[in-house]
Amino acid sequence: PSPAAVPAALAALEAEVTSCRACPRLVAWREQVALERRAAFREEEYWARPVPGFGDPAARVVIVGLAPAAHGANRTGRMFTGDRSGLFLYAALWRTGFASRPESVSRDDGLVLTGAWITAPVRCAPPANKPTPGERDRCRPFLERELALLPGVRVFVALGQFGYQVLCGVLGVRPRPRFGHGAEVEAPGGRTIMCSYHVSQQNTFTGKLTEPMLDAVLLRARALA
């Protein structure tokens, strides 16, 4: 679509994503979590639907995670919003000039991304953060269509191996080079996949992924884009 038509096309895709009920296990889980809630969020209304991508329709960098967190994006309705992974990611996006503020707390907090788009291969929170191959494959067309609506993208930042594998499939990278933090993989059309460890607590709390490590990947993505 023309640049002027992109926001409307993305909004139409978002409406389709957020009403999807294709995976019975994920539908049951996301809704169960919303009913039981975590004590800290007892008074909150959970989103409990598939989570759409978020960011700048003119993005040149796309960040690809895994799936919404049960009490994060499944609660707030925005990618990486409302949990510790998101705190780590948005602070880095702010430091590297992609985000208008260092934290993302809700869908209507006024945060704006410039030059970046955030999405995931699986749109519903999965039990134990582990989507099945079937769930991954059923959700993949949403990612394919979303990326097709973002023609300005030059660089994809894959947060973790799951997102990297799906991206390689979508972008037609064959054979698939090994995943490693900081790796750069050429994709068809003169595009690049940058690899980073996922911003999950098991990586950020243990020091496997540090702020300078993530900042370096995002700054490199900005330079390449």
Side-chain angles (χ1 to χ4, degrees):
S2 70
V6 167
L10 286 167
L13 179 62
E14 173 173 330
E16 220 179 302
V17 167
T18 56
S19 59
C20 180
R21 300 182 68 83
C23 300
R25 187 182 81 114
L26 298 188
V27 171
W29 172 249
R30 76 191 192 207
E31 293 176 1
Q32 179 190 334
V33 167
L35 285 173
E36 294 173 357
R37 301 181 196 175
R38 194 171 269 177
F41 310 125
R42 205 170 34 240
E43 305 305 315
E44 289 191 36
E45 179 87 23
Y46 273 56
W47 172 258
R49 284 187 276 158
V51 179
F54 162 68
D56 181 357
R60 296 182 70 79
V61 176
V62 167
I63 294 148
V64 180
L66 194 167
H71 301 281
N74 185 54
R75 173 172 62 88
T76 62
R78 185 201 276 165
M79 289 287 176
F80 284 106
T81 296
D83 60 18
R84 289 185 186 274
S85 299
L87 286 174
F88 196 89
L89 176 62
Y90 282 102
L93 289 168
W94 178 70
R95 289 192 300 270
T96 54
F98 289 108
S100 62
R101 56 171 65 177
E103 69 279 318
S104 174
V105 291
S106 71
R107 277 172 70 83
D108 51 11
D109 61 7
L111 173 80
V112 176
L113 295 182
T114 304
W117 184 269
I118 301 179
T119 189
V122 175
R123 306 304 175 118
C124 293
N129 285 325
K130 288 193 166 62
T132 65
E135 289 160 353
R136 175 199 66 202
D137 295 344
R138 272 194 295 279
C139 212
R140 175 171 151 163
F142 284 141
L143 182 65
E144 293 172 340
R145 290 166 58 197
E146 185 176 42
L147 297 183
L149 291 174
L150 298 168
V153 176
R154 310 311 310 147
V155 182
F156 301 85
V157 177
L159 298 177
Q161 194 147 352
F162 186 93
Y164 172 65
Q165 290 173 349
V166 175
L167 257 182
C168 284
V170 169
L171 298 178
V173 175
R174 293 179 193 84
R176 188 174 70 218
R178 223 175 123 198
F179 175 86
H181 183 83
E184 296 182 20
V185 176
E186 286 183 30
R191 298 178 294 182
T192 304
I193 301 174
M194 298 265 332
C195 298
S196 170
Y197 292 137
H198 195 278
V199 289
S200 67
Q201 281 178 255
Q202 61 245 48
N203 290 336
T204 60
F205 278 25
T206 57
K208 184 177 181 180
L209 178 66
T210 63
E211 290 182 358
M213 286 168 69
L214 183 56
D215 289 359
V217 168
L218 292 173
L219 288 170
R220 175 66 177 154
R222 177 180 277 289
L224 286 171

